[in-house]
Amino acid sequence: MAILSRLAQASKVMVTSVRHGGGIGGQIHNRPSRWNWDLFKDHLHFYIMLGAIPIGMWITMANIMKGPAVLSPIPEGYVPQEHEYYKSPITRWFVKNIYNSYQEVYESYLGTVWEEEKKRCMYQLYQEARRQQKLHQDYKGWYTKLKTAEYMRMSMKSKQDAEEARGFEP
């Protein structure tokens, strides 16, 4: 019975506090502050509008002043630039000042292909050098050390003698 009376008191602990405001008006429930959330929303709206309003005005003015491009015949001997093929003035500006032209992209791609081809050729040459060294039982000779070369030749001769003694022909 003592346990049930303890549990009955535990339910009173879970009740939230309520202020009655001196008996005037309704109840005021305590809740966490929304100050940080409201401040965040205010700053977010301010900085979005700080950027959105000038950009929106710039887009509107470009469309009003310049307007969309009009298709007209190309004069004799005139070669149009790449950005002149686009209709919107903003797209034309981006193509002219920010984006790379198709020719630039293609030439940079060709440069990458050329570099990869050179790497492939160098690797093939390296593999051929390794094959020739293995075929002729040679070794790398970046610099000369007489003792090292002498011992290498002695080792190769003893290996050859051992193979001949066993009956293997090179």
Side-chain angles (χ1 to χ4, degrees), residues 103-120:
Q103 183 177 356
E104 277 182 77
V105 171
Y106 182 68
E107 288 178 3
S108 66
Y109 171 72
L110 287 181
T112 305
V113 168
W114 181 80
E115 285 180 8
E116 293 299 320
E117 177 66 17
K118 292 296 282 185
K119 287 179 188 176
R120 188 188 63 79

Side-chain angles (χ1 to χ4, degrees), residues 34-168:
R34 291 175 40 113
W35 170 257
N36 288 330
W37 171 245
D38 291 339
L39 188 66
F40 169 73
K41 286 194 309 185
D42 289 345
H43 285 160
L44 181 69
H45 289 134
F46 174 73
Y47 287 113
I48 286 175
M49 290 302 135
L50 191 67
I53 290 174
I55 289 173
M57 288 174 48
W58 179 69
I59 290 171
T60 304
M61 291 306 292
N63 286 324
I64 290 173
M65 298 300 214
K66 288 273 188 177
V70 178
L71 191 61
S72 62
I74 299 172
E76 194 66 35
Y78 177 73
V79 178
Q81 297 176 359
E82 186 177 354
H83 69 275
E84 294 175 354
Y85 288 106
Y86 294 92
K87 187 173 181 179
S88 169
I90 296 166
T91 308
R92 286 194 306 257
W93 185 85
F94 272 102
V95 169
K96 182 179 180 181
N97 298 312
I98 295 176
Y99 300 152
N100 292 331
S101 68
Y102 291 120
Q103 183 177 356
E104 277 182 77
V105 171
Y106 182 68
E107 288 178 3
S108 66
Y109 171 72
L110 287 181
T112 305
V113 168
W114 181 80
E115 285 180 8
E116 293 299 320
E117 177 66 17
K118 292 296 282 185
K119 287 179 188 176
R120 188 188 63 79
C121 288
M122 286 172 44
Y123 180 73
Q124 280 184 337
L125 184 62
Y126 173 74
Q127 290 298 326
E128 177 61 20
R130 296 274 311 243
R131 189 184 72 79
Q132 289 291 332
Q133 285 176 355
K134 192 179 284 186
L135 181 68
H136 298 293
Q137 295 181 345
D138 201 358
Y139 59 94
K140 289 183 182 178
W142 306 114
Y143 49 88
T144 304
K145 280 188 177 179
L146 297 177
K147 292 181 181 177
T148 307
E150 179 184 341
Y151 290 137
M152 181 63 91
R153 288 189 189 100
M154 286 170 46
S155 171
M156 287 171 59
K157 183 165 180 8
S158 68
K159 181 181 176 186
Q160 190 176 13
D161 291 342
E163 287 178 352
E164 288 175 1
R166 285 184 291 191
F168 287 66

Side-chain angles (χ1 to χ4, degrees), residues 5-19:
S5 63
R6 297 283 182 187
L7 291 176
Q9 291 176 0
S11 65
K12 293 179 183 176
V13 173
M14 302 302 283
V15 175
T16 58
S17 61
V18 176
R19 295 183 61 194

